[in-house]
Amino acid sequence: MSGQPRRIVILGATSAMAEATARLYAAEGAALVLVGRRLDRLEEIRADLLARGASAAEAVAADLARPDAAADQLAAWAGPQGADAVLLFYGVLGDQAQAERDPAIAREILSVNFTSAAEWCLAAANLLEAQRRGALVVIGSVAGDRGRQSNYVYGAAKAGLGVLVQGIAHRLALRNTGARAVLVKPGFVDTPMTDGLPKGGPLWAKPEAIARIVRASAQGGGPVVYAPWFWRFIMLIIRLVPAPLFHKRPL
Amino acid sequence: MTGFQATSELSSWGRVVRARQDVVRPHWRDQLAAAVEEAGARPEGGLAVGLARSYGDSGLNSGGAVIAMSGLDRVHSFDPATGVVRADAGMSLDALIGLALPHGWFPAVVPGTRFVTLGGAIANDVHGKNHHDAGTFGRHVRRLALRRTDGSVRELTPDDPSGLFAATVGGLGLTGVIAWAELQLSRWAGAFLDSEDIAFRGLDAFFALSAESVRTHAYTAAWVDCTGRGRNLGRGIFSRANPSPDPRRTLHRPPRVSIPVDAPAALLNPLTLRAFNAGYFALKAARAGRRQAHYDSVFFPLDAIGAWNRLYGRAGFYQYQCVVPPASARDAVAELLAQIAASGEGSVLAVLKTFGALPSPGLLSFPMEGTTLALDFRNRGEPTLKLFDRFDAIVREAGGRLYPAKDGRIGAGMFQAGYPQLAAFAPHVDPGLTSNFWKRVKS
């Protein structure tokens, strides 16, 4: 690593949380690989990150929801120097009511948020283990902590992803690889993804706040980090509410 | 993209006017393009807004469409060697300072808050404490892109022969939606200023201090005790400063405290105001002298308190800011201060400042050579408006004008009297855009 800038691979770089995190890395002079579907939007971000101090920024158009030779692609993005961090931000909230009626929509939510993400995570785990350094940081959700009628398809995918990342963290630690994996679980975040919901109040966090937690998680801590921290206690209570009581509430 | 959502959550900074509006928050350039066209096609028209620090109604479009610009905040390019930066119009000065200062640059002109967007700073052609030295914000704009509701995009420079640049700077967002702007920043060694506070008694002392200081100091402004009567009339604290050679580039911190709820309406009354002003004068006078100060405390003292506008209670407040030309400045300001003191109203932060002769680039730019007075008044309804009518008469008689970014009430006559270039401005207005302010004053 000596003297070289950190190299960070960001999957789903056009998400608001990803962009806020990328700005933190840019200010440190890191080299960034921005992967997403829309090249025009990635280019908007790329210029911004270079102006903010990134030593390099590369925009890569790829449909992450349909991984194709994930290991090869990830190795190419990490480059010969290797990746100091692989950050996975992409996902879709989906529409729960539609998913209940239309299996294709349910399958899409599960496939994007879990199946494809799992492929990238497993590829990243192999890469980091081979490098013997680096961190995988994955955005989960507090929705994965307990199934609720309003969003349990999305929640199930995020819950599955959480178990997978925990397993990877366990594996990397046990084999003494020097690499790490962390699952960051945000609560309500004020992003375009949640623009349809009424916002405001003390539970809503800005993407910049989540970004600082992601940045810190790439450095240490984990394997499961609530963002902000108070969600750990909120979700503890939500998990502990007995089903007969829980089932009377339209959460 | 559509995604306009009805909301009444957007209000002006003074919070006198609350309006239901359909708001969209674009995050990408292609979404902005779609939003501007759709907003322009609506019967009530559209308006772009930034961080909503305008006090009155120039940033509101009741019943119409509003494009909230702050999600478009990306830098296009920044050259640390020349201090030229190009960025989306939704970027805040707060973020710009964070970008520029570590490289030894600072915005050439900053208003009293960091929480304004580049687009908002241009649309209101804002000024700072260095007006006599640097002029208005618009003087440092090298280029901008204006997106019109007919789908066209115009790149404009200060020498634009069509007049659209001059109409857009200070044009209150009515000539199109500013998509991005390119600015020339100023060289700064570090984050500090060498500042000096001097207590003065009376307006003559203020004018003498101001005349002397504009030659020696880049930044000047005075706080006046707006409750002072008799021999205390026009007393205050004169502040002047120059950037310090100290190379430490310490950035400001986010607001430390925030006002969580509306204060009781009775908090700011004539009695508490008198007490506060007298105490503030005594404190500042006792501590007068030279010191080194961080830019955050010199330029943005109120930014340390989030949502300070709640201090005026649920009814909100007005700000009255006028400028009067040099020949009539002394008498007009004296008369205004006498009226304010007699009313017992007025604010904790009354600011008096001399504008220099550097011309503003905009047809509707507020600053002109002379003296500007700015202060807040809690909204008491009719009596407050009556008081303002008396001020208006004084300002109009003196050949002065009011600042649209601060106004929420003047009629077409008062506005037209103060802005003789209005006729040249009007043809540049984008027919798809409007605001509450514009609907009120254009007739």
Side-chain angles (χ1 to χ4, degrees):
Chain A
M1 280 221 286
S2 56
Q4 292 233 43
R6 289 177 200 279
R7 189 169 174 89
I8 313 296
V9 177
I10 303 181
L11 307 180
T14 55
S15 102
M17 287 185 260
E19 189 174 3
T21 307
R23 286 179 178 182
L24 297 179
Y25 276 110
E28 298 171 13
L32 300 158
V33 182
L34 312 166
V35 189
R37 243 181 333 182
R38 295 274 307 253
L39 194 61
D40 56 339
R41 294 181 175 180
L42 292 171
E43 288 292 345
E44 281 180 51
I45 298 175
R46 195 180 83 89
D48 176 72
L49 296 172
L50 286 171
R52 287 172 194 266
S55 56
E58 199 178 316
V60 181
D63 186 356
L64 295 164
R66 281 149 191 80
D68 179 23
D72 294 346
Q73 292 214 59
L74 204 57
W77 299 333
Q81 171 200 338
D84 296 276
V86 176
L87 313 178
L88 192 151
F89 284 96
Y90 77 90
V92 290
L93 196 50
D95 185 301
Q96 173 66 30
Q98 283 183 14
E100 287 173 6
R101 289 192 301 269
D102 183 345
I105 286 176
R107 191 185 310 126
E108 180 68 11
I109 295 172
L110 293 167
S111 151
V112 173
N113 291 313
F114 178 70
T115 313
S116 74
E119 281 198 51
W120 292 112
C121 287
L122 290 166
N126 293 344
L127 177 82
L128 300 182
E129 185 173 338
Q131 293 178 176
R132 302 196 62 78
R133 70 185 169 86
L136 167 68
V137 184
V138 178
I139 301 298
S141 171
V142 295
D145 278 16
R146 182 165 192 175
R148 293 179 296 121
Q149 52 91 27
S150 56
N151 66 355
Y152 61 87
V153 177
Y154 172 80
K158 287 293 192 184
L161 189 60
V163 171
L164 185 99
V165 174
Q166 265 185 313
I168 290 173
H170 188 199
R171 158 191 158 189
L172 293 176
L174 205 62
R175 295 185 195 167
N176 245 332
T177 58
R180 305 168 44 253
V182 182
L183 181 79
V184 173
K185 290 197 210 186
F188 300 137
V189 190
D190 181 3
T191 69
M193 191 191 204
T194 53
D195 266 352
L197 306 174
K199 296 179 180 184
L203 293 184
W204 283 86
K206 292 283 176 201
E208 291 74 22
I210 310 298
R212 286 191 291 274
I213 295 167
V214 171
R215 176 66 192 90
S217 299
Q219 219 54 43
V224 176
V225 176
Y226 285 83
W229 57 271
F230 54 76
W231 282 98
R232 176 180 295 278
F233 301 96
I234 294 175
M235 295 321 293
L236 178 67
I237 291 162
I238 294 216
R239 282 199 309 273
L240 288 176
V241 175
L245 257 177
F246 197 75
H247 288 174
K248 291 197 173 96
R249 296 256 166 262
L251 291 166
Chain B
M1 146 176 171
T2 50
F4 280 91
Q5 288 180 3
T7 177
S8 51
E9 280 168 23
L10 282 188
S11 67
S12 65
W13 189 244
R15 308 198 311 155
V16 172
V17 187
R18 293 156 203 253
R20 196 201 61 81
Q21 308 175 101
D22 293 333
V23 179
V24 69
R25 195 173 291 280
H27 289 265
W28 307 98
R29 283 170 211 157
D30 60 294
Q31 293 177 329
L32 176 64
V36 172
E37 282 193 61
E38 187 183 332
R42 298 204 166 199
E44 293 299 320
L47 181 70
V49 305
L51 290 165
R53 256 35 176 212
S54 289
Y55 288 68
D57 54 359
S58 59
L60 295 173
N61 186 24
S62 299
V66 165
I67 305 167
M69 295 291 289
S70 58
L72 286 162
D73 66 344
R74 299 184 185 93
V75 188
H76 301 203
S77 60
F78 170 52
D79 184 348
T82 61
V84 173
V85 61
R86 184 186 288 195
D88 287 336
M91 186 181 197
S92 67
L93 290 189
D94 183 74
L96 179 61
I97 293 168
L99 175 79
L101 189 73
H103 297 281
W105 297 98
F106 202 80
V109 170
V110 292
T113 173
R114 306 184 304 264
F115 300 111
V116 294
T117 60
L118 302 187
I122 294 170
N124 293 287
D125 198 16
V126 299
H127 58 272
K129 295 179 174 181
N130 60 343
H131 180 273
H132 60 277
D133 192 53
T136 61
F137 193 89
R139 286 179 67 94
H140 309 276
V141 176
R142 291 163 48 105
R143 185 177 286 271
L144 61 82
L146 191 68
R147 189 170 268 291
R148 307 263 294 185
T149 58
D150 63 9
S152 65
V153 183
R154 299 278 302 274
E155 268 195 47
L156 303 169
T157 56
D159 53 16
D160 156 52
S162 77
L164 191 52
F165 182 88
T168 299
V169 173
L172 304 168
L174 298 165
T175 62
V177 175
I178 300 170
W180 54 258
E182 186 178 291
L183 310 174
Q184 174 65 59
L185 303 169
S186 290
R187 244 304 163 216
W188 270 47
F192 294 87
L193 297 108
D194 295 318
S195 79
E196 184 178 10
D197 283 353
I198 303 162
F200 62 88
R201 290 191 172 269
L203 279 181
D204 291 325
F206 163 78
F207 280 102
L209 269 169
S210 193
E212 167 200 326
S213 304
V214 293
R215 288 194 293 272
T216 53
H217 290 76
Y219 296 90
T220 66
W223 169 85
V224 277
D225 175 356
C226 61
T227 62
R229 289 183 238 189
R231 71 179 190 90
N232 287 336
L233 180 71
R235 71 173 177 179
I237 306 292
F238 193 91
S239 301
R240 54 190 191 184
N242 279 314
S244 163
D246 187 325
R248 287 174 298 153
R249 292 173 180 171
T250 326
L251 277 173
H252 60 268
R253 297 173 167 282
R256 273 151 288 176
V257 288
S258 190
I259 308 298
V261 291
D262 294 336
L267 181 69
L268 295 175
N269 60 47
L271 206 68
T272 58
L273 277 174
R274 268 183 81 90
F276 176 87
N277 277 267
Y280 189 79
F281 178 81
L283 184 75
K284 290 292 252 185
R287 284 201 199 153
R290 294 174 195 225
R291 65 174 62 82
Q292 191 185 57
H294 191 260
Y295 70 81
D296 204 34
S297 67
V298 176
F299 299 149
F300 315 119
L302 282 171
D303 285 346
I305 307 162
W308 64 262
N309 52 348
R310 286 180 150 166
L311 286 173
Y312 282 91
R314 172 130 188 103
F317 67 105
Y318 290 98
Q319 180 159 104
Y320 194 91
Q321 181 165 7
C322 60
V323 57
V324 283
S328 50
R330 168 71 179 74
D331 292 347
V333 172
E335 215 174 320
L336 284 168
L337 287 177
Q339 290 269 356
I340 294 161
S343 78
E345 295 292 326
S347 62
V348 295
L349 277 172
V351 176
L352 199 55
K353 147 119 194 106
T354 302
F355 283 155
L358 288 170
S360 302
L363 295 172
L364 294 192
S365 293
F366 163 68
M368 64 177 182
E369 188 174 12
T371 303
T372 180
L373 175 66
L375 64 176
D376 303 332
F377 293 84
R378 64 183 173 137
N379 174 22
R380 291 178 304 129
E382 205 48 37
T384 311
L385 297 174
K386 284 256 165 60
L387 183 65
F388 290 162
D389 287 341
R390 295 206 292 278
F391 298 167
D392 286 353
I394 298 168
V395 171
R396 206 166 163 167
E397 173 70 27
R401 61 193 181 201
L402 300 193
Y403 191 2
K406 308 285 181 75
D407 176 63
R409 43 160 283 278
I410 59 170
M414 180 70 191
F415 183 63
Q416 286 158 12
Y419 291 87
Q421 299 194 83
L422 195 56
F425 170 79
H428 293 290
V429 171
D430 184 322
L433 300 177
T434 191
S435 65
N436 287 22
F437 175 84
W438 186 240
K439 284 175 203 159
R440 181 155 47 76
V441 303
K442 72 177 170 189
S443 57

